[in-house]
Amino acid sequence: QTDSPDYRDKRDREGLAIYSNGSDLSFDLAVQLIQVNFTGPVILSHDESAIRGSYNPSLNRISVRDNNPHTVLHEFSHSLIHADIKNNRVIDEIFAEVGCYLIYERLGCNVQGFNYAYSNVWMNNLGLSETFPFVEFQRLYSILKSKVDALVIPPLPPLLSTG
């Protein structure tokens, strides 16, 4: 889920722009990327009462309620790394953001201003920095990077084309 209460409170209290704006990646291209690479259903809804997005591993389903490409890629990243994370919501959320970054980078998007504030909320509120071994970070990063590198990339519009 991409809308924890702590995240919402911090975002509202400090006026933070928690997500990368994805200005150089369209929502349609993000959806196309996951449709090509994801085996489960993708549910796009504009229900304002719902959370921004979610990945349900038991149903292998991604649900997204906004038109933000970042949300789509964050939830898709959950699907890539979830099986390798052992029941730890904090690490799952952090690596969904890492995966989102890696996908943006793979697509040739400008990642210089990528915003990790959402991950930082999880780390700061739950004290992860004291309990997460670096070797485990390296292991998960390597797995996620390999999965992102193996993605089938749909044809990119000229602005994002790297070739």
Side-chain angles (χ1 to χ4, degrees):
Q1 291 180 333
T2 22
D3 217 0
S4 75
D6 291 334
Y7 151 74
R8 284 193 308 270
D9 291 347
K10 186 171 179 70
R11 177 194 64 200
D12 295 343
R13 187 175 58 251
E14 298 179 15
L16 294 174
I18 299 290
Y19 290 99
S20 165
N21 65 12
S23 61
D24 55 352
L25 178 67
S26 75
F27 176 75
D28 292 337
L29 183 61
V31 170
Q32 184 181 0
L33 174 79
I34 64 172
Q35 288 174 333
V36 168
N37 291 282
F38 183 65
T39 59
V42 177
I43 299 170
L44 304 176
S45 162
H46 298 288
D47 176 5
E48 291 300 318
S49 67
I51 54 176
R52 289 182 83 115
S54 66
Y55 167 65
N56 184 325
S58 61
L59 298 175
N60 193 36
R61 179 179 69 203
I62 293 172
S63 300
V64 176
R65 79 159 173 90
D66 65 17
N67 289 333
N68 187 331
H70 188 111
T71 303
V72 173
L73 297 180
H74 174 95
E75 299 308 332
F76 175 58
S77 295
H78 276 298
S79 76
L80 295 176
I81 196 67
H82 180 80
D84 300 294
I85 296 174
K86 297 169 181 62
N87 299 318
N88 190 320
R89 172 83 189 278
V90 176
I91 294 170
D92 196 37
E93 290 297 332
I94 291 168
F95 272 90
E97 282 298 285
V98 171
C100 189
Y101 172 91
L102 291 172
I103 293 169
Y104 270 84
E105 187 177 58
R106 172 100 194 278
L107 291 173
C109 296
N110 180 1
V111 293
Q112 187 172 11
F114 193 86
N115 191 339
Y116 282 101
Y118 179 69
S119 298
N120 291 343
V121 168
W122 282 96
M123 285 179 59
N124 293 338
N125 288 347
L126 298 173
L128 177 66
S129 58
E130 299 169 13
T131 61
F132 189 54
F134 185 67
V135 68
E136 180 65 359
F137 178 90
Q138 289 175 308
R139 182 187 77 81
L140 291 171
Y141 179 86
S142 177
I143 291 168
L144 186 56
K145 177 86 167 98
S146 295
K147 290 179 180 182
V148 169
D149 288 346
L151 293 176
V152 174
I153 304 297
L156 301 175
L159 178 62
L160 294 176
S161 180
T162 57

